[in-house]
Amino acid sequence: MRLSYFISHHYIRLLLGVLVTILLLAHVVGAFNMGFVNAMERFAYDARLQLLMPGGQDPHIVIVDIDEASLQQEGHWPWGRNKLAHLLDQLFDHYQARLVAFDVVFAEKNESSGLAALQALQKARQQPGLASVIDELAPTLDYDQLFANSIRGRDVVLGYYFRHNTRLKQNIGVLPSPVIQAGVLEGRDIAYLYASGYGANIPSLQQQAKAAGHFNPDPDEDGITRRIPLLVVYQGGVYEALSLAVARQVLGDVALKLGFAGGEQGAGVEWLALGQHNIPVDAHLNALIPYRGRQGSFVYVSAADVLHGKVPQQQLKNRIVLIGTTAPGLMDLRATPAQSVYPGVEIHANMIAGILDGSVKQQPAYTLGAEFLLLLFLGVGLTVLLPRMRPAPASVLVVSVFLLLILFNLLSWQIGVVLPLASALLLVVVIYVLNMSYGYFIESRSKRQLTQLFGQYVPPELVEEMAAHQHELGLQGESREMTVLFCDVRGFTSLSEALDAPTLARLMNEYLTAMTRVIHQHRGTIDKYIGDAIMAFWGAPLHDEQHAAHAVNASLDMVRELEKINADFQQRGWPVLEIGIGLNSGDMAVGNMGSEFRMAYTVLGDAVNLGARLEGLSAYYAAPVIVSEFTAQAATQYRYRELDLVRVKGKDVPVRIFAPVASDDASMDQELSQYELALTAYRQQHWSQAQSAFMALQATYGARMIYSIYLERITYFSQHAPSVDWDGVFNFESKRGVA
């Protein structure tokens, strides 16, 4: 693996994160529209609303319901206007209602009394007696006038509707006076709703009402009503919604004022002011409906019960009364976030209550900039961080960010500000999923390739580490400071002759497995098995600053592991094994080497050859582990016994060799001190002094091979001196200390 491989994968993940961030930022600023993001935002809005709706009933608003029971008792809709006049009289005179608003439009004259038929008959027959009778009955049969008389002088608000984007040109009824002139909105950044026509109340009724407001819903793309257009523009006038008209009358017919962002010279409207009450609106002059809960958040009473005085007076006294219908046949049921089937009249009740108690949530224009900055911060942060993190901490980070975004958004909702949520959550999830998916599908393939390349050399846990540090890996040859180990079984030829082939194979498999396991435990890389011999190295494929220390520690553990293996072999009747290990540290060439037919990841160089020569010396010195002076200098945390100064085959420069000492007891310290004095006397050619020192060591600490070797040399040199010219270096080829 080369550095470019790691860099390419790293930058691909960065590129994916940047691409996702740019797409969502472009959506936020309106460069293009991603419908599914809008759908997610609507879902998030509905979820927050359902979670945090206050619930309970608002006692200030009562809905007089033209329900199924009322239709059964009073007849099908529309009712005669005389009955509606009686309903108004009951509400104001008997129940003393504060205000009555109709979520109904009276666009046509009421002919149900038969007065028009009588007048036509009189006109056809021209009978004076009939004319006087009709004139006498007219006041009681003119239901529209009766209704108008009942409206006159009372706080009554009528409803009407606008048509939008329709070819139907005929208007019905008469509109009320606009609350402001459309010129106030011209030249400003306001995407107001423009009407192409209307269906309003007949003039006789409209003229008597204190006010009137449109009850047009403005559902979102999914058909769910989340907001109400408080102002609609039609032919130079600006007309208010039914809920706004009711609130204005309740507050004393206060004037409507527009709150511009940045003062009177501002480009957009951010709120509507009714005295001390500010109503937040968006760029379309819509207000979010502050739903209290599911249907029934306001008191419902049956219209028939009101007509017949069956409702307790206190239930309606000084209340705002909305007259509407929940009867399915009258088609005034809407889909809302609070409930899939919701009465339209209760939507207006929620809006009126929200205006009066100040619970209408705001979505100010600055939320667009806040969303942009948030996405930019999250996108850049996660794009940079996640590719550098392992799956577990990356998952913890993403879950934490996810929860913090939701928590902050809910807190913002509670103080009345609706912030976008879906785009940020989507950004976090998509960048995380892309990183994890890329890591799983692409980088796992890289890990499999690493396993195929290095699985035969290094332990699985080191393959995991290599996958996380691919930039350190290189298959091409390179020079590194490393430590090499050679291990060989002594007397293997005679041992193999004493065993049949299957037994020998089992013995070697168990031995090699145990030794390899120890090497792997100390982060070593198996180079190859050469019959009974093992070649391993430290410092590649991954850099290892402690390569020498790990190698020495591994060699000592291999000796200890061999004791366990031999105990098991003895129980089976197999021969015990003796091993020799040689270690050397230095610059080595490492990489994939071989021919076009076969390649192997291996090490080469003069330092490697010296390691092999040291393993061959172990039998001569009867030391299971021999290390060069270079390894001893690199792994100073261990104690060593200096064995000799030797010139090995193929090397002109002599090398000091050492045996690591595992024991750390006081007696070993004393022995090593005496040994160093004896060795110094030997090298100074003080033969008598050296001989006495080595003999004392042998007598005190046992017949170690190294003491016997030096006593033999001392005897030789003392007998042949001064004829022998000796420089203190043992020539390994002649096995004699002769230069």
Side-chain angles (χ1 to χ4, degrees), residues 1-130:
M1 298 293 169
R2 300 304 302 157
L3 176 61
S4 59
Y5 179 86
F6 169 78
I7 292 176
S8 64
H9 283 290
H10 181 74
Y11 278 103
I12 287 173
R13 296 170 76 174
L14 287 177
L15 181 62
L16 290 173
V18 169
L19 180 60
V20 171
T21 303
I22 291 175
L23 287 175
L24 284 171
L25 289 176
H27 169 78
V28 169
V29 299
F32 64 91
N33 181 42
M34 290 191 288
F36 71 93
V37 180
N38 295 330
M40 292 178 62
E41 192 63 65
R42 291 192 293 266
F43 176 82
Y45 176 87
D46 295 350
R48 284 171 285 174
L49 186 142
Q50 292 171 8
L51 178 66
L52 300 174
M53 288 189 299
Q57 281 191 333
D58 186 335
H60 302 96
I61 300 175
V62 177
I63 296 173
V64 173
D65 188 10
I66 304 171
D67 54 6
E68 291 286 356
S70 297
L71 296 179
Q72 290 177 2
Q73 292 183 47
E74 305 299 329
H76 63 81
W77 184 264
W79 290 342
R81 305 275 163 79
N82 60 328
K83 188 172 294 186
L84 295 175
H86 178 56
L87 180 63
L88 272 182
D89 291 341
Q90 282 284 88
L91 289 170
F92 282 107
D93 296 338
H94 178 66
Y95 289 106
Q96 300 178 14
R98 169 67 183 84
L99 176 145
V100 176
F102 284 89
D103 185 24
V104 179
V105 62
F106 305 105
E108 299 174 348
K109 291 184 178 182
N110 185 197
E111 306 287 353
S112 63
S113 66
L115 177 60
L118 290 175
Q119 289 174 337
L121 179 63
Q122 160 61 22
K123 186 176 181 179
R125 296 191 178 183
Q126 297 293 323
Q127 296 181 0
L130 181 59

Side-chain angles (χ1 to χ4, degrees), residues 404-418:
L404 284 173
L405 286 173
I406 293 176
L407 178 61
F408 179 77
N409 203 279
L410 292 178
L411 291 175
S412 173
W413 179 284
Q414 288 294 75
I415 64 174
V417 179
V418 180

Side-chain angles (χ1 to χ4, degrees), residues 613 616-617 620 646-649 730-735:
R613 298 287 184 262
L617 288 175
Y620 174 74
V646 302
R647 183 178 292 112
V648 299
K649 183 178 180 180
F730 177 66
N731 192 319
F732 184 59
E733 292 190 60
S734 63
K735 297 292 191 298

Side-chain angles (χ1 to χ4, degrees), residues 463-691:
V463 173
E464 294 285 338
E465 188 174 338
M466 290 162 59
H469 300 84
Q470 295 184 28
H471 56 289
E472 296 185 14
L473 307 180
L475 290 179
Q476 297 179 358
E478 59 177 307
S479 179
R480 288 193 188 183
E481 176 79 19
M482 300 171 59
T483 297
V484 67
L485 173 149
F486 286 89
C487 177
D488 197 11
V489 177
R490 295 173 185 167
F492 180 73
T493 302
S494 59
L495 182 148
S496 60
E497 292 174 352
L499 297 174
D500 59 72
T503 303
L504 179 63
R506 289 199 303 273
L507 180 146
M508 290 308 301
N509 287 341
E510 293 192 22
Y511 159 75
L512 291 174
T513 298
M515 295 296 103
T516 301
R517 185 178 295 113
V518 173
I519 293 171
H520 281 175
Q521 288 171 352
H522 293 280
R523 302 175 63 84
T525 300
I526 298 296
D527 186 305
K528 60 177 69 72
Y529 303 115
I530 312 169
D532 60 305
I534 301 173
M535 177 180 174
F537 52 83
W538 281 258
L542 287 177
H543 285 279
D544 184 358
E545 297 295 331
Q546 300 296 318
H547 56 86
H550 290 151
V552 172
N553 206 10
S555 64
L556 295 176
D557 279 354
M558 290 169 69
V559 174
R560 286 189 283 266
E561 184 67 20
L562 184 64
E563 295 176 1
K564 300 177 184 178
I565 295 173
N566 282 332
D568 179 57
F569 284 3
Q570 282 183 316
Q571 291 182 355
R572 302 190 197 185
W574 293 354
V576 296
L577 305 180
E578 292 184 19
I579 61 173
I581 297 174
L583 294 176
N584 183 42
S585 301
D587 289 332
M588 306 173 191
V590 60
N592 235 17
M593 304 179 192
S595 68
E596 63 181 37
F597 301 102
R598 183 175 180 180
M599 302 290 288
Y601 190 74
T602 188
V603 290
L604 297 174
D606 189 56
V608 178
N609 297 334
L610 178 56
R613 298 287 184 262
L614 296 185
E615 180 274 317
L617 288 175
S618 64
Y620 174 74
Y621 291 97
V625 180
I626 293 181
V627 305
S628 70
E629 60 184 279
F630 311 110
T631 300
Q633 291 168 2
T636 56
Q637 60 268 57
Y638 298 95
R639 293 189 306 164
Y640 301 93
R641 180 198 300 273
E642 183 177 350
L643 297 178
D644 211 346
L645 179 64
V646 302
R647 183 178 292 112
V648 299
K649 183 178 180 180
K651 294 280 290 184
D652 294 330
V653 179
V655 178
R656 292 184 185 274
I657 60 174
F658 299 81
V661 178
S663 176
D664 58 357
D665 55 41
S667 62
M668 179 58 70
D669 290 339
Q670 186 176 2
E671 180 184 356
L672 289 178
S673 297
Q674 295 177 18
Y675 173 76
E676 289 174 0
L677 293 174
L679 190 60
T680 300
Y682 165 78
R683 287 181 175 158
Q684 292 175 352
Q685 301 185 28
H686 298 159
W687 307 123
S688 177
Q689 180 183 348
Q691 186 176 37

Side-chain angles (χ1 to χ4, degrees), residues 236 271-272 298 498 630:
W271 69 89
L272 307 180
F298 299 87
F630 311 110

Side-chain angles (χ1 to χ4, degrees), residues 160-166 175 179-182 185-186 188-198 214-220 225 227-241 269 272 281-287:
Y160 61 94
Y161 62 87
F162 279 116
R163 291 192 295 269
H164 305 281
N165 302 320
T166 178
L175 289 175
V179 288
I180 55 176
Q181 296 301 314
L185 304 178
E186 291 180 359
R188 299 180 185 271
D189 186 18
I190 305 172
Y192 51 75
L193 193 63
Y194 187 86
S196 59
Y198 62 85
H214 67 83
F215 44 68
N216 288 74
D218 187 22
D220 290 324
T225 301
R227 65 197 80 234
I228 287 178
L230 293 185
L231 297 177
V232 173
V233 175
Y234 176 73
Q235 292 188 352
V238 180
Y239 297 86
E240 61 187 333
V269 176
L272 307 180
V281 293
D282 61 18
H284 301 277
L285 302 177
N286 293 339

